[in-house]
Structure formats: structure tokens, C-alpha cells
Amino acid sequence: MKNSRDNWSSKIGVILAVAGSAVGLGNFLRFPVQAATNGGGAFIIPYLIAFILLGIPLSWMEWTFGRYAGMHGHGTAPGAFHQIFKKPWAKYLGSLGLLPPLFISFYYIFVQSWILAFTYYSITGKLMEVVKADKITEFFNDYIMLNTKIGPIPAAIIFFLITFACNTALLSFGVRKGIERANKIAMPILLIMGIILVIRVLTIDGIGEGLAYMWNPDFSELTNPQVWLAAAGQVFFTMSLGMGIILCYASYLKPKEDIVLSSLTAGATNGFAEIILGGTIVIPIAIIMMSNSNIEEIAKLGTFGLGFQAMPHVFGQLPLGNIIQTLWFGMLFFAGLTSAVSIIQPLVSFCEDDLAFSRPKAISTISLITFIGGFISIFGLAAGAVDELDFWGGSFLLVLLGTIQAFIFAFVLARQKSETNPNENKAFALLNEGAAIKLPRFFRPIILYVCPTYLAVLLVSWLATSGIDVLLLTNVKPDEMVTFLGFELSKITFTWGIRIFLIVITILLNLAIAFAWNSKKAKNGRKSKIKKVEIGNA
Amino acid sequence: MEFSNSGILFMIGTWAAILLLNTFCFFKVLTKKEEKK
């Protein structure tokens, strides 16, 4: 069938793809810092509670939305919401499911290219030389600020172009031959590299002291609401929730394919990478190898400082440090690659399914847009462009979309009757269809009431505690100046410039959605390669 | 800082929980035959 929708070839393929999307820098760098600064071992209690009450239920919801969208030939939230509400405005609400991957793609590929570069420098031994000369901070800063050059061209731009080409090539093979195959190779390698690093860290003399910072529980922290908020936020961000990615991947499921077990397995794999690998590697070794350091100082380094400066430095002090550095960046490279393709795929899916683009045309269009966005990050990094893009794409919109999805599932889809099963509502009929393990009954009230409430509280609390300051720019000094493309301007002006750019992108996206539906290209969606089978309430 | 007994307990307990969940999930996934479409 010409230009028909792709499907995953196996259950393990889609599980590894969803897990590959979720496993990223956050597992190895964000989680350990969050845990160590929020009660150590005691952090695990609110973390696991959030995993059960928020992470797993919302993940099941997104898989269900994806199945529903895929049944109607769509792969993104505009198509899913259109089918659920059958109202003209619903598809525009669905644009919220395309904005996070779009905004994140503007900076993620650039960050991904740093990992590729540092993997290369580890293999060639350059990174070891820099560490021995105690110049890792200068080396990293020179690299990201485009001062390190290969010939006349900044190395950061060369590695960005290579990374961009790799992602595009991978996506051009499609879901089954590109994304699924890549995840089946990359995920096992990533996990093996992580396990080797864990074994190496655990065999360092005196590692108990480092593990103590990570795991000794401080129960007094459990009375602090910020700790609970941090745990819920970590679960939310680590599982790729509210990004439209799980929805998109689930839309490529075969009819009557299991959702309940697959979602749980992907979540468990992510948990393994986060708690066992992420929780063991970074903080313990940083504590014992970095002189005069404590957990507050390590946390101050931030994700990039920790990953690209502190870790190469401490690994460089170990015997065979060169190899350990390569394993570290190799692991991050595979984590970044599988996450990057998952970020771009919803955008490609929208072009293919709703705008009826061919795959080459869809890839070219999205590549052009993300390429332009990428250059804003490259040249606006020092001015704070990445922070601003991350606030909207990687924080605010995720929680907003997650909350909206939870309410739609609980109060719209779960109140529609299944057409084939009169004793079941549409939401749970879709979720349980073909399930290898049926959804336990006690999870129903969690999904219908606890999860939406949890998310609403998380959204409001996050806005009240930190989000509102960033939204209103009250955290920026009025006289703070930045330089962008040779022009000196106030940081507030620059930030509003980025916001206007994002608003324009949002308007253009909604115009594309309007065009897709008005031209009837999106109304019936795209046909699947496999014969349509009636599911629950198709 | 010394690695306390409660710290060891939390680490081992959490690892065990995660490994058990992964074992259960992957056992179920890999032992259930894929339906022929």
C-alpha cells in the first residue's frame, strides 16, 4: 500500500523504543542530584509513590490515546483529540502535543552533538590529555561557545551537522526499519555499558562513603513538600510523559497488541536505568574523587557541568580512565540518540498522517525546521536560549499536556461507551484490549481520580514555587545584558524575542492543522499497512 | 559520612524491587506468544 502507516514488528521492539525515549541524560545526571539533595534514600519513598500513582497511570493513558489515534490513521494529539471529542476545536488543543517535541528538538540535537563530540574526544585520548592538564572546564566552555575549531569551522557546528545527519538518516528508514532496529541495538549496548560502569564504581576503595550520600535516608526531609514535588517532577520528566512521544509510538501498534504490560515493562526498564545505573554511578564517585566537594557543590554544577566536566575529570583519575570516559560518553550517546529520534518522530508522523506528506518530504520539512531552531540554540546558548526553550518545551508544556490528557481520559474517554463491549467504557476497553495482563481493578480509581488530582496539584505547585518567576521573568535582573549574533541586548529583550519566535511557531503549527483538516487530508487519517481489525470501539 | 545500615537497606531494597519488576515484566513479555495477525 503506497505511503501507508508503519507498524512495530514486535512487542519487544516497541518496549525498547519507548524505554529508549525515556532513558536519557535525566536518568544519569538529574535523578542522582535530585535524590541526593532531597533526603537521599528517603527520596525513594515519594519517588516510588509518584511512579505508581502518576507515572504508570499517565503512561497507560498515553498508550491508550496512541492506540485510539493509530486506529484512525493518526499518530499525534491533534488527530487523537479530534477523534475523541469530534469537535472542530479539539484538534487545536491537540497542538499542545506537538509543541513539546518541536521546542525540545531545537536544543536537544545540539546537546546530543556535544555527547558525540566528547565520545570522539574520549576515543582519541584528547579528553584524557585535557583532564591531566586540569583544563576540562575551559575545554568544555571553549567547545560550546564555538571557540574550539576544526580548520576555520567551530567543532560544535561540525558535530552538530554530523549528529543531525545521523538522526535524519535513521528516521528516513521509518518506524520499523529505522527506530525499532536502532533501539534493539542501542538499548542493550547502553545497558551493558551502564552495568560495566556500575561494577567499576562499586569496586573503588571507599565507595561506601559516596553511596552514603546517595542512599542514607534523611526521613526529616519527608515532611518537606518540596521533596514530594521534586520526586513527582522527576518521575514525570524521566518517563517522557506529556511530550506526545508515547502517544505517537503507541499509534504504530498492531491491532489487539498489548498495552498494559508493554507500558509497565518500558517504565521498569527506565527505572532500572535511573535507579540502579543513574543512582550508583555519578554521585558516589563524584563525592569520593572530587576533593573538598559535598553534595551541594556537586548539585551546583548542573546537568551539563556534572556530565561533561565533573565525570570526565573523576573517570580520568581511575586506571584505564580513557576507557571509562569512553564508556560514559558512549552510554550517554546511545541514550541521546534513542531519545532524539523519539522527539522528532511525532513531528514526522504529523506531516505524514495529517498533511499527507511522503516520508522524504516529511523528513525534509521537519529537518529544515529543527535545523533553523538548532542554530538558535547554537548561537544563543550563552544568552540563555536553551534555558528558555527547555522551560517551555521541557517543563511547562509537559506538565500542562499531561494534566489535560489525564482529565480527558478520566472525564471524557472513560465516560464514552464502548461500542463492542456494553459493560465497559471506551477508555478501559481500549486499554485492556489484547492485554497480556489485565489492568488490576484497584488501578481504576487511581487512573480516574488520583492521577488527575496529583497532576493538577503538581502543575499549580510548580507554577507557584518556581514556574511563575520564570514566566514573568522576575528572576532576571533588568540590567543583565547578553550578546546574540554580535548584538548586545538586555536578557529580558532576548528572552521575549525567543518567546515571540515560539508564539509564531505555535501559530504556524495551528495553521498547518487547520489546513490539514480543511483540505480533508487529515479527516480520515492514513491507512495502516496491515488490514484493519475492529478493536473494542473502533 | 558512613554508609549506614538504613542506607544499605534502602539501596538493596530498591534494587531488589526494580530487578523483580523487570524480571516479572520481561518474563511475561518474552514467554507470551505474539498473536499471528
Side-chain angles (χ1 to χ4, degrees):
Chain A
M1 197 181 290
K2 196 188 170 194
N3 200 27
S4 52
R5 290 196 99 237
D6 218 344
N7 287 98
W8 303 104
S9 72
S10 65
K11 190 186 286 182
I12 199 78
V14 63
I15 289 168
L16 289 178
V18 173
S21 164
V23 176
L25 292 180
N27 294 61
F28 303 109
L29 298 167
R30 192 176 188 274
F31 168 76
V33 173
Q34 288 289 321
T37 52
N38 286 293
F43 180 79
I44 293 298
I45 294 170
Y47 179 88
L48 289 180
I49 289 172
F51 180 71
I52 294 164
L53 299 183
L54 190 157
I56 291 296
L58 189 56
S59 179
W60 277 328
M61 291 180 207
E62 293 201 14
W63 280 74
T64 306
F65 286 133
R67 160 171 281 170
Y68 195 45
M71 282 162 53
H72 294 92
H74 299 284
T76 50
F81 289 3
H82 171 76
Q83 288 299 332
I84 291 167
F85 288 100
K86 306 249 182 333
K87 301 279 186 200
W89 51 264
K91 55 185 177 289
Y92 301 111
L93 180 66
S95 70
L96 284 173
L98 283 168
L99 292 175
L102 188 57
F103 294 169
I104 293 170
S105 71
F106 290 164
Y107 65 87
Y108 199 89
I109 301 168
F110 184 40
V111 175
Q112 187 197 354
S113 72
W114 302 354
I115 302 171
L116 179 66
F118 274 61
T119 309
Y120 169 77
Y121 290 135
S122 304
I123 293 168
T124 58
K126 171 78 179 169
L127 201 58
M128 199 63 187
E129 284 174 28
V130 173
V131 166
K132 278 183 181 163
D134 204 14
K135 287 190 173 166
I136 185 69
T137 303
E138 293 90 329
F139 181 76
F140 177 66
N141 288 336
D142 278 345
Y143 178 84
I144 62 171
M145 292 302 158
L146 314 181
N147 295 327
T148 305
K149 301 206 169 157
I150 298 174
I153 306 169
I157 291 183
I158 291 174
F159 280 104
F160 173 74
L161 294 174
I162 296 169
T163 308
F164 199 88
C166 287
N167 292 346
T168 307
L170 197 58
L171 285 162
S172 68
F173 285 104
V175 169
R176 184 186 290 217
K177 290 181 182 166
I179 297 173
E180 183 174 349
R181 204 173 276 176
N183 274 284
K184 278 181 171 173
I185 297 167
M187 284 302 288
I189 296 176
L190 180 163
L191 293 173
I192 290 167
M193 284 177 156
I195 290 167
I196 294 171
L197 283 171
V198 165
I199 293 168
R200 183 67 194 93
V201 169
L202 290 178
T203 50
I204 295 173
D205 279 344
I207 195 65
E209 190 189 343
L211 289 168
Y213 277 87
M214 186 68 208
W215 287 102
N216 281 2
D218 177 2
F219 292 109
S220 66
E221 287 284 345
L222 292 179
T223 56
N224 181 358
Q226 284 296 326
V227 171
W228 290 80
L229 196 61
Q234 179 60 29
V235 166
F236 200 95
F237 298 127
T238 189
M239 292 180 74
S240 285
L241 300 171
M243 295 172 78
I245 292 171
I246 294 176
L247 190 158
C248 177
Y249 274 9
S251 76
Y252 294 104
L253 286 172
K254 290 173 187 165
K256 292 187 181 285
E257 185 73 271
D258 160 81
I259 281 182
V260 179
L261 179 63
S262 300
S263 171
L264 190 62
T265 310
T269 309
N270 181 63
F272 176 85
E274 179 142 300
I275 294 174
I276 296 184
L277 305 185
T280 309
I281 299 170
V282 173
I283 295 294
I285 195 171
I287 286 285
I288 63 164
M289 300 291 280
M290 291 169 70
S291 54
N292 301 322
S293 69
N294 57 43
I295 195 63
E296 283 76 23
E297 281 175 34
I298 289 169
K300 269 187 210 164
L301 288 169
T303 302
F304 299 144
L306 198 53
F308 291 90
Q309 297 172 46
M311 285 300 106
H313 177 75
V314 296
F315 289 141
Q317 294 174 52
L318 296 172
L320 301 175
N322 197 7
I323 293 170
I324 308 289
Q325 285 172 341
T326 307
L327 279 172
W328 169 250
F329 284 111
M331 180 181 73
L332 293 186
F333 171 75
F334 286 115
L337 180 73
T338 51
S339 297
V341 292
S342 76
I343 287 163
I344 303 167
Q345 180 57 32
L347 309 169
V348 174
S349 171
F350 172 71
C351 288
E352 286 189 298
D353 300 333
D354 299 334
L355 291 169
F357 283 8
S358 64
R359 177 158 277 266
K361 189 176 171 187
I363 303 254
S364 310
T365 307
I366 297 306
S367 296
L368 182 67
I369 295 167
T370 53
F371 193 74
I372 294 166
F375 271 81
I376 291 172
S377 293
I378 292 172
F379 294 106
L381 179 69
V386 170
D387 293 335
E388 187 61 19
L389 289 168
D390 186 49
F391 171 76
W392 292 103
S395 303
F396 177 69
L397 286 171
L398 303 194
V399 189
L400 182 65
L401 179 68
T403 310
I404 289 171
Q405 287 183 142
F407 276 87
I408 290 175
F409 189 94
F411 299 106
V412 182
L413 203 60
R415 294 187 179 189
Q416 294 176 357
K417 282 241 159 94
S418 165
E419 288 162 19
T420 53
N421 183 354
N423 299 322
E424 189 56 286
N425 64 60
K426 196 179 268 190
F428 289 109
L430 282 163
L431 181 54
N432 273 322
E433 186 68 43
I437 50 168
K438 292 280 180 198
L439 180 77
R441 296 291 299 187
F442 70 88
F443 257 111
R444 290 197 176 213
I446 292 174
I447 289 173
L448 293 177
Y449 308 111
V450 178
C451 183
T453 310
Y454 206 137
L455 277 162
V457 170
L458 180 64
L459 180 64
V460 173
S461 311
W462 175 74
L463 277 172
T465 52
S466 57
I468 204 78
D469 285 337
V470 187
L471 265 173
L472 301 176
L473 296 179
T474 49
N475 56 345
V476 179
K477 289 176 192 161
D479 56 348
E480 189 175 346
M481 302 300 283
V482 293
T483 306
F484 180 62
L485 295 175
F487 297 98
E488 197 177 6
L489 62 170
S490 78
K491 182 155 185 179
I492 291 178
T493 307
F494 175 77
T495 307
W496 276 108
I498 295 280
R499 289 180 182 187
I500 290 167
F501 170 71
L502 298 182
I503 290 168
V504 170
I505 293 275
T506 305
I507 292 168
L508 289 174
L509 176 66
N510 278 279
L511 286 174
I513 291 171
F515 171 77
W517 262 264
N518 288 339
S519 62
K520 299 191 186 338
K521 285 175 177 169
K523 281 226 168 114
N524 299 319
R526 198 159 54 111
K527 297 283 176 285
S528 175
K529 270 180 184 167
I530 51 178
K531 196 179 168 186
K532 188 172 180 177
V533 178
E534 290 290 314
I535 300 178
N537 34 22
Chain B
M1 190 190 283
E2 277 210 6
F3 199 13
S4 66
N5 286 337
S6 54
I8 295 170
L9 197 70
F10 258 85
M11 185 175 134
I12 302 285
T14 310
W15 278 40
I18 290 287
L19 290 172
L20 272 174
L21 181 63
N22 272 280
T23 308
F24 167 77
C25 288
F26 278 101
F27 176 77
K28 284 274 184 188
V29 167
L30 297 172
T31 53
K32 189 175 186 298
K33 280 185 181 173
E34 298 233 357
E35 287 178 43
K36 286 194 174 178
K37 307 294 181 307

